[in-house]
Amino acid sequence: MKRALELRSGRIVAFAVGAAGLGGAWAAAPASASGQTAAGESSNASADQRSDVRRAVVITDSVGAAAAAVAPAGPIEAEPVVSASETKRNVLIGGSVAVHGAVEPVTPTQHTVALEERRGGRWHTVARARTHGPGRFRIHFKPAAAGTVALRVLVAGAGSDSRARQRLGSVNTFRQAFASWYGGGGSLACGGTLTDSTLGVASKTLPCGTMVRIRLGRRTVRVPVVDRGPYVAGREFDLTAATKRALGFGDLGMIWVST
């Protein structure tokens, strides 16, 4: 065991330094001309005295006031904090969404990160991954059906700490459908009159008023079912003229659809 003395602003601080660093006892007393403590004792404390103040810090200033602070018995583990983002917000059914992020602080122990989707008013785990390297993770998720779902990630076993979970944006999953368009005015099967500014689609099977999300290229619209049709084999939807313009749709073609 090696001892060291340090003189700072009229006070002398004595501390023991072992092989493990500053993990031993600390003691201090006012400096005297002879290099002894104010009580007349040698600065070399006995082993028993050192063990009595193990892991304590004691500082005595020149007027004899003392303060003590006891160091923690072991390291304090910080609650994990997760951050993440998804690579896609719109995906065709059968495709996958990649969610990537990190868990901090970085520890030698790997964390399990779960990806959950909101369905039926509850959260359901759809994929898991382990952290690697500097606490990073990547999760691949394939939606099972067309629709829109909210996603979140959380660190398994982190309890209710809100920092260990993060809500992501909603992911829209589409299927393909063949469509055409129509116009010309007249009455709509679901009520009202078709005009050049009517946003909507005609469908033979979906109930009137059903909201349909349609994507073409980088454009997406969400419009209601307003009419019945199309009555041509192989076509599933008829787009109104306003919907056609909003999407940049041609006369016939494939669209991405989600309800």
Short mmCIF file of all heavy atoms in Angstrom, two decimals, residues 202-252:
data_model
loop_
_atom_site.label_atom_id
_atom_site.label_comp_id
_atom_site.label_asym_id
_atom_site.label_seq_id
_atom_site.Cartn_x
_atom_site.Cartn_y
_atom_site.Cartn_z
N ALA A 202 -64.88 4.03 -57.31
CA ALA A 202 -66.01 3.12 -57.45
C ALA A 202 -65.49 1.70 -57.21
O ALA A 202 -64.42 1.34 -57.68
CB ALA A 202 -66.61 3.24 -58.86
N SER A 203 -66.27 0.93 -56.43
CA SER A 203 -65.91 -0.46 -56.12
C SER A 203 -67.16 -1.31 -56.15
O SER A 203 -68.25 -0.86 -55.76
CB SER A 203 -65.24 -0.54 -54.74
OG SER A 203 -65.13 -1.88 -54.30
N LYS A 204 -67.02 -2.55 -56.59
CA LYS A 204 -68.18 -3.44 -56.62
C LYS A 204 -68.44 -4.10 -55.27
O LYS A 204 -69.54 -4.58 -55.01
CB LYS A 204 -67.96 -4.54 -57.68
CG LYS A 204 -67.88 -4.03 -59.10
CD LYS A 204 -67.87 -5.15 -60.12
CE LYS A 204 -66.63 -6.01 -60.01
NZ LYS A 204 -65.44 -5.30 -60.51
N THR A 205 -67.43 -4.16 -54.38
CA THR A 205 -67.55 -4.96 -53.15
C THR A 205 -67.44 -4.17 -51.85
O THR A 205 -68.07 -4.54 -50.85
CB THR A 205 -66.47 -6.07 -53.14
OG1 THR A 205 -65.19 -5.46 -53.24
CG2 THR A 205 -66.67 -7.03 -54.30
N LEU A 206 -66.66 -3.11 -51.83
CA LEU A 206 -66.47 -2.37 -50.58
C LEU A 206 -67.70 -1.53 -50.26
O LEU A 206 -68.30 -0.92 -51.16
CB LEU A 206 -65.23 -1.46 -50.68
CG LEU A 206 -63.88 -2.17 -50.79
CD1 LEU A 206 -62.77 -1.15 -51.01
CD2 LEU A 206 -63.61 -3.01 -49.55
N PRO A 207 -68.09 -1.45 -48.98
CA PRO A 207 -69.26 -0.64 -48.59
C PRO A 207 -69.05 0.83 -48.90
O PRO A 207 -67.91 1.35 -48.90
CB PRO A 207 -69.36 -0.86 -47.07
CG PRO A 207 -68.61 -2.14 -46.81
CD PRO A 207 -67.52 -2.19 -47.83
N CYS A 208 -70.14 1.52 -49.18
CA CYS A 208 -70.07 2.97 -49.42
C CYS A 208 -69.45 3.67 -48.21
O CYS A 208 -69.74 3.34 -47.06
CB CYS A 208 -71.47 3.53 -49.68
SG CYS A 208 -72.20 3.06 -51.26
N GLY A 209 -68.61 4.64 -48.50
CA GLY A 209 -67.96 5.40 -47.43
C GLY A 209 -66.65 4.80 -46.94
O GLY A 209 -65.92 5.46 -46.18
N THR A 210 -66.33 3.56 -47.34
CA THR A 210 -65.06 2.96 -46.93
C THR A 210 -63.91 3.81 -47.43
O THR A 210 -63.85 4.17 -48.61
CB THR A 210 -64.92 1.53 -47.49
OG1 THR A 210 -66.00 0.73 -47.01
CG2 THR A 210 -63.60 0.91 -47.08
N MET A 211 -62.98 4.13 -46.54
CA MET A 211 -61.82 4.93 -46.93
C MET A 211 -60.76 4.02 -47.54
O MET A 211 -60.38 3.01 -46.95
CB MET A 211 -61.26 5.69 -45.74
CG MET A 211 -62.23 6.70 -45.13
SD MET A 211 -62.86 7.93 -46.32
CE MET A 211 -61.34 8.82 -46.73
N VAL A 212 -60.29 4.40 -48.71
CA VAL A 212 -59.30 3.61 -49.45
C VAL A 212 -58.04 4.46 -49.60
O VAL A 212 -58.10 5.60 -50.10
CB VAL A 212 -59.84 3.20 -50.83
CG1 VAL A 212 -58.80 2.36 -51.57
CG2 VAL A 212 -61.15 2.44 -50.69
N ARG A 213 -56.91 3.90 -49.17
CA ARG A 213 -55.63 4.58 -49.36
C ARG A 213 -55.02 4.05 -50.66
O ARG A 213 -54.84 2.83 -50.82
CB ARG A 213 -54.70 4.31 -48.18
CG ARG A 213 -53.46 5.22 -48.15
CD ARG A 213 -52.53 4.82 -47.00
NE ARG A 213 -53.20 4.85 -45.73
CZ ARG A 213 -53.31 5.91 -44.93
NH1 ARG A 213 -52.78 7.07 -45.32
NH2 ARG A 213 -53.93 5.84 -43.79
N ILE A 214 -54.70 4.97 -51.58
CA ILE A 214 -54.16 4.59 -52.88
C ILE A 214 -52.80 5.26 -53.07
O ILE A 214 -52.65 6.46 -52.81
CB ILE A 214 -55.10 5.01 -54.03
CG1 ILE A 214 -56.50 4.43 -53.79
CG2 ILE A 214 -54.55 4.54 -55.37
CD1 ILE A 214 -57.53 4.96 -54.77
N ARG A 215 -51.83 4.49 -53.52
CA ARG A 215 -50.49 5.01 -53.74
C ARG A 215 -50.05 4.69 -55.16
O ARG A 215 -50.22 3.58 -55.65
CB ARG A 215 -49.51 4.43 -52.73
CG ARG A 215 -48.09 5.03 -52.81
CD ARG A 215 -47.24 4.57 -51.65
NE ARG A 215 -45.87 5.06 -51.73
CZ ARG A 215 -45.48 6.26 -51.35
NH1 ARG A 215 -46.37 7.11 -50.82
NH2 ARG A 215 -44.21 6.63 -51.45
N LEU A 216 -49.47 5.69 -55.80
CA LEU A 216 -48.91 5.53 -57.14
C LEU A 216 -47.61 6.31 -57.20
O LEU A 216 -47.60 7.54 -57.08
CB LEU A 216 -49.88 6.02 -58.21
CG LEU A 216 -49.43 5.86 -59.66
CD1 LEU A 216 -49.32 4.37 -60.03
CD2 LEU A 216 -50.40 6.55 -60.63
N GLY A 217 -46.51 5.60 -57.36
CA GLY A 217 -45.21 6.26 -57.30
C GLY A 217 -44.98 6.86 -55.93
O GLY A 217 -45.05 6.17 -54.92
N ARG A 218 -44.75 8.15 -55.86
CA ARG A 218 -44.52 8.84 -54.58
C ARG A 218 -45.77 9.55 -54.07
O ARG A 218 -45.72 10.24 -53.06
CB ARG A 218 -43.37 9.85 -54.73
CG ARG A 218 -42.02 9.20 -54.98
CD ARG A 218 -40.93 10.26 -55.12
NE ARG A 218 -39.62 9.67 -55.30
CZ ARG A 218 -38.80 9.32 -54.32
NH1 ARG A 218 -39.19 9.52 -53.06
NH2 ARG A 218 -37.63 8.80 -54.56
N ARG A 219 -46.88 9.40 -54.76
CA ARG A 219 -48.11 10.10 -54.37
C ARG A 219 -49.08 9.15 -53.68
O ARG A 219 -49.23 7.99 -54.09
CB ARG A 219 -48.78 10.70 -55.59
CG ARG A 219 -47.94 11.74 -56.32
CD ARG A 219 -48.75 12.37 -57.44
NE ARG A 219 -47.95 13.31 -58.23
CZ ARG A 219 -48.43 14.05 -59.23
NH1 ARG A 219 -49.73 13.98 -59.54
NH2 ARG A 219 -47.64 14.87 -59.90
N THR A 220 -49.73 9.65 -52.64
CA THR A 220 -50.71 8.86 -51.90
C THR A 220 -51.94 9.72 -51.65
O THR A 220 -51.83 10.90 -51.27
CB THR A 220 -50.14 8.38 -50.55
OG1 THR A 220 -48.96 7.61 -50.78
CG2 THR A 220 -51.16 7.52 -49.80
N VAL A 221 -53.11 9.14 -51.85
CA VAL A 221 -54.37 9.81 -51.50
C VAL A 221 -55.21 8.84 -50.68
O VAL A 221 -55.03 7.62 -50.75
CB VAL A 221 -55.16 10.25 -52.75
CG1 VAL A 221 -54.39 11.27 -53.55
CG2 VAL A 221 -55.54 9.04 -53.61
N ARG A 222 -56.11 9.40 -49.90
CA ARG A 222 -57.05 8.58 -49.12
C ARG A 222 -58.45 9.12 -49.42
O ARG A 222 -58.78 10.24 -49.04
CB ARG A 222 -56.73 8.66 -47.63
CG ARG A 222 -57.50 7.67 -46.77
CD ARG A 222 -56.88 7.58 -45.37
NE ARG A 222 -57.60 6.64 -44.53
CZ ARG A 222 -58.52 6.98 -43.62
NH1 ARG A 222 -58.84 8.26 -43.46
NH2 ARG A 222 -59.12 6.05 -42.92
N VAL A 223 -59.23 8.31 -50.11
CA VAL A 223 -60.53 8.77 -50.62
C VAL A 223 -61.60 7.73 -50.28
O VAL A 223 -61.31 6.56 -50.06
CB VAL A 223 -60.46 9.00 -52.14
CG1 VAL A 223 -59.49 10.13 -52.47
CG2 VAL A 223 -60.08 7.72 -52.88
N PRO A 224 -62.89 8.13 -50.28
CA PRO A 224 -63.98 7.21 -49.96
C PRO A 224 -64.51 6.47 -51.20
O PRO A 224 -64.32 6.91 -52.33
CB PRO A 224 -65.04 8.14 -49.38
CG PRO A 224 -64.84 9.41 -50.13
CD PRO A 224 -63.37 9.54 -50.35
N VAL A 225 -65.18 5.36 -50.92
CA VAL A 225 -65.94 4.68 -51.97
C VAL A 225 -67.22 5.47 -52.17
O VAL A 225 -68.00 5.67 -51.23
CB VAL A 225 -66.26 3.22 -51.56
CG1 VAL A 225 -67.22 2.59 -52.58
CG2 VAL A 225 -64.99 2.41 -51.44
N VAL A 226 -67.43 5.96 -53.40
CA VAL A 226 -68.59 6.82 -53.67
C VAL A 226 -69.55 6.22 -54.70
O VAL A 226 -70.64 6.76 -54.91
CB VAL A 226 -68.12 8.22 -54.16
CG1 VAL A 226 -67.35 8.94 -53.07
CG2 VAL A 226 -67.30 8.10 -55.44
N ASP A 227 -69.13 5.11 -55.34
CA ASP A 227 -69.95 4.59 -56.44
C ASP A 227 -69.69 3.11 -56.62
O ASP A 227 -68.79 2.52 -56.00
CB ASP A 227 -69.59 5.35 -57.73
CG ASP A 227 -70.72 5.39 -58.73
OD1 ASP A 227 -71.78 4.76 -58.46
OD2 ASP A 227 -70.55 6.05 -59.78
N ARG A 228 -70.49 2.49 -57.49
CA ARG A 228 -70.32 1.09 -57.82
C ARG A 228 -69.67 0.96 -59.21
O ARG A 228 -69.90 1.77 -60.09
CB ARG A 228 -71.69 0.38 -57.83
CG ARG A 228 -72.28 0.26 -56.45
CD ARG A 228 -71.47 -0.74 -55.61
NE ARG A 228 -71.91 -0.76 -54.21
CZ ARG A 228 -71.09 -0.56 -53.19
NH1 ARG A 228 -69.81 -0.30 -53.40
NH2 ARG A 228 -71.53 -0.62 -51.96
N GLY A 229 -68.87 -0.10 -59.38
CA GLY A 229 -68.13 -0.33 -60.62
C GLY A 229 -66.70 -0.66 -60.27
O GLY A 229 -66.37 -0.79 -59.07
N PRO A 230 -65.86 -0.81 -61.23
CA PRO A 230 -66.13 -0.84 -62.68
C PRO A 230 -66.71 -2.19 -63.11
O PRO A 230 -66.44 -3.21 -62.48
CB PRO A 230 -64.74 -0.61 -63.28
CG PRO A 230 -63.80 -1.21 -62.27
CD PRO A 230 -64.43 -0.97 -60.93
N TYR A 231 -67.45 -2.19 -64.19
CA TYR A 231 -68.09 -3.42 -64.65
C TYR A 231 -67.36 -3.97 -65.88
O TYR A 231 -67.96 -4.33 -66.89
CB TYR A 231 -69.56 -3.14 -64.96
CG TYR A 231 -70.32 -2.74 -63.71
CD1 TYR A 231 -70.62 -1.41 -63.47
CD2 TYR A 231 -70.69 -3.69 -62.77
CE1 TYR A 231 -71.30 -1.04 -62.30
CE2 TYR A 231 -71.37 -3.33 -61.61
CZ TYR A 231 -71.66 -2.00 -61.38
OH TYR A 231 -72.32 -1.63 -60.24
N VAL A 232 -66.06 -4.01 -65.78
CA VAL A 232 -65.20 -4.58 -66.81
C VAL A 232 -64.32 -5.62 -66.15
O VAL A 232 -63.73 -5.36 -65.09
CB VAL A 232 -64.33 -3.50 -67.49
CG1 VAL A 232 -63.41 -4.13 -68.54
CG2 VAL A 232 -65.20 -2.42 -68.12
N ALA A 233 -64.26 -6.80 -66.71
CA ALA A 233 -63.49 -7.90 -66.13
C ALA A 233 -62.02 -7.51 -65.91
O ALA A 233 -61.39 -6.89 -66.78
CB ALA A 233 -63.57 -9.12 -67.04
N GLY A 234 -61.52 -7.87 -64.73
CA GLY A 234 -60.11 -7.63 -64.42
C GLY A 234 -59.83 -6.29 -63.76
O GLY A 234 -58.72 -6.06 -63.28
N ARG A 235 -60.81 -5.40 -63.73
CA ARG A 235 -60.60 -4.10 -63.10
C ARG A 235 -61.28 -4.09 -61.73
O ARG A 235 -62.44 -4.50 -61.61
CB ARG A 235 -61.18 -2.96 -63.96
CG ARG A 235 -60.59 -2.91 -65.35
CD ARG A 235 -61.15 -1.74 -66.13
NE ARG A 235 -60.82 -1.85 -67.55
CZ ARG A 235 -61.20 -0.97 -68.49
NH1 ARG A 235 -61.94 0.10 -68.12
NH2 ARG A 235 -60.88 -1.14 -69.74
N GLU A 236 -60.55 -3.60 -60.73
CA GLU A 236 -61.09 -3.61 -59.36
C GLU A 236 -61.60 -2.26 -58.91
O GLU A 236 -62.55 -2.19 -58.12
CB GLU A 236 -60.01 -4.11 -58.40
CG GLU A 236 -60.50 -4.39 -57.00
CD GLU A 236 -59.45 -5.03 -56.11
OE1 GLU A 236 -58.39 -5.46 -56.62
OE2 GLU A 236 -59.69 -5.08 -54.88
N PHE A 237 -61.01 -1.19 -59.40
CA PHE A 237 -61.41 0.15 -58.98
C PHE A 237 -61.54 1.06 -60.20
O PHE A 237 -60.79 0.94 -61.17
CB PHE A 237 -60.39 0.77 -58.01
CG PHE A 237 -60.33 0.09 -56.67
CD1 PHE A 237 -59.36 -0.87 -56.41
CD2 PHE A 237 -61.23 0.42 -55.66
CE1 PHE A 237 -59.30 -1.49 -55.18
CE2 PHE A 237 -61.17 -0.20 -54.44
CZ PHE A 237 -60.21 -1.16 -54.18
N ASP A 238 -62.50 1.98 -60.10
CA ASP A 238 -62.61 3.10 -61.02
C ASP A 238 -62.31 4.37 -60.23
O ASP A 238 -62.96 4.64 -59.20
CB ASP A 238 -64.03 3.20 -61.59
CG ASP A 238 -64.12 2.77 -63.05
OD1 ASP A 238 -63.04 2.63 -63.68
OD2 ASP A 238 -65.23 2.56 -63.53
N LEU A 239 -61.34 5.15 -60.69
CA LEU A 239 -60.99 6.39 -60.01
C LEU A 239 -61.78 7.54 -60.62
O LEU A 239 -61.95 7.60 -61.85
CB LEU A 239 -59.49 6.69 -60.16
CG LEU A 239 -58.51 5.54 -59.89
CD1 LEU A 239 -57.08 6.06 -60.04
CD2 LEU A 239 -58.73 4.93 -58.52
N THR A 240 -62.26 8.45 -59.79
CA THR A 240 -62.90 9.65 -60.33
C THR A 240 -61.83 10.52 -60.98
O THR A 240 -60.62 10.34 -60.75
CB THR A 240 -63.60 10.45 -59.23
OG1 THR A 240 -62.61 10.91 -58.29
CG2 THR A 240 -64.64 9.60 -58.51
N ALA A 241 -62.26 11.48 -61.77
CA ALA A 241 -61.32 12.35 -62.48
C ALA A 241 -60.42 13.11 -61.50
O ALA A 241 -59.21 13.29 -61.74
CB ALA A 241 -62.09 13.32 -63.38
N ALA A 242 -60.97 13.57 -60.38
CA ALA A 242 -60.17 14.31 -59.40
C ALA A 242 -59.13 13.40 -58.75
O ALA A 242 -57.99 13.83 -58.49
CB ALA A 242 -61.09 14.92 -58.36
N THR A 243 -59.51 12.16 -58.48
CA THR A 243 -58.55 11.21 -57.89
C THR A 243 -57.45 10.87 -58.89
O THR A 243 -56.28 10.77 -58.53
CB THR A 243 -59.28 9.93 -57.45
OG1 THR A 243 -60.34 10.27 -56.55
CG2 THR A 243 -58.34 8.97 -56.78
N LYS A 244 -57.83 10.71 -60.14
CA LYS A 244 -56.86 10.44 -61.20
C LYS A 244 -55.81 11.55 -61.27
O LYS A 244 -54.60 11.30 -61.35
CB LYS A 244 -57.61 10.33 -62.54
CG LYS A 244 -56.75 10.40 -63.79
CD LYS A 244 -57.64 10.38 -65.03
CE LYS A 244 -56.95 10.94 -66.26
NZ LYS A 244 -55.76 10.23 -66.67
N ARG A 245 -56.26 12.81 -61.24
CA ARG A 245 -55.32 13.93 -61.31
C ARG A 245 -54.42 13.98 -60.07
O ARG A 245 -53.23 14.27 -60.17
CB ARG A 245 -56.09 15.25 -61.43
CG ARG A 245 -56.76 15.46 -62.78
CD ARG A 245 -57.19 16.91 -62.94
NE ARG A 245 -58.08 17.34 -61.85
CZ ARG A 245 -59.39 17.21 -61.88
NH1 ARG A 245 -60.00 16.64 -62.93
NH2 ARG A 245 -60.14 17.65 -60.88
N ALA A 246 -54.98 13.73 -58.90
CA ALA A 246 -54.19 13.80 -57.65
C ALA A 246 -53.06 12.78 -57.64
O ALA A 246 -51.98 13.03 -57.08
CB ALA A 246 -55.11 13.58 -56.45
N LEU A 247 -53.29 11.63 -58.28
CA LEU A 247 -52.27 10.58 -58.30
C LEU A 247 -51.34 10.67 -59.51
O LEU A 247 -50.28 10.04 -59.53
CB LEU A 247 -52.95 9.20 -58.32
CG LEU A 247 -53.59 8.74 -57.02
CD1 LEU A 247 -54.43 7.49 -57.27
CD2 LEU A 247 -52.54 8.47 -55.95
N GLY A 248 -51.75 11.43 -60.53
CA GLY A 248 -50.99 11.42 -61.77
C GLY A 248 -51.18 10.11 -62.52
O GLY A 248 -50.28 9.62 -63.19
N PHE A 249 -52.41 9.56 -62.41
CA PHE A 249 -52.74 8.27 -63.00
C PHE A 249 -53.06 8.45 -64.49
O PHE A 249 -53.59 9.48 -64.91
CB PHE A 249 -53.96 7.69 -62.26
CG PHE A 249 -54.39 6.33 -62.70
CD1 PHE A 249 -53.65 5.20 -62.37
CD2 PHE A 249 -55.57 6.16 -63.43
CE1 PHE A 249 -54.06 3.94 -62.77
CE2 PHE A 249 -55.99 4.91 -63.83
CZ PHE A 249 -55.23 3.78 -63.50
N GLY A 250 -52.79 7.39 -65.28
CA GLY A 250 -53.12 7.42 -66.70
C GLY A 250 -54.54 6.94 -66.92
O GLY A 250 -55.45 7.27 -66.15
N ASP A 251 -54.73 6.13 -67.96
CA ASP A 251 -56.07 5.61 -68.26
C ASP A 251 -56.30 4.25 -67.60
O ASP A 251 -57.38 3.98 -67.07
CB ASP A 251 -56.26 5.49 -69.77
CG ASP A 251 -56.32 6.84 -70.45
OD1 ASP A 251 -56.73 7.82 -69.79
OD2 ASP A 251 -55.91 6.95 -71.62
N LEU A 252 -55.31 3.37 -67.63
CA LEU A 252 -55.38 2.04 -67.04
C LEU A 252 -54.04 1.73 -66.38
O LEU A 252 -53.00 2.18 -66.86
CB LEU A 252 -55.66 0.96 -68.10
CG LEU A 252 -57.00 1.00 -68.83
CD1 LEU A 252 -56.97 0.01 -69.99
CD2 LEU A 252 -58.14 0.66 -67.88
#
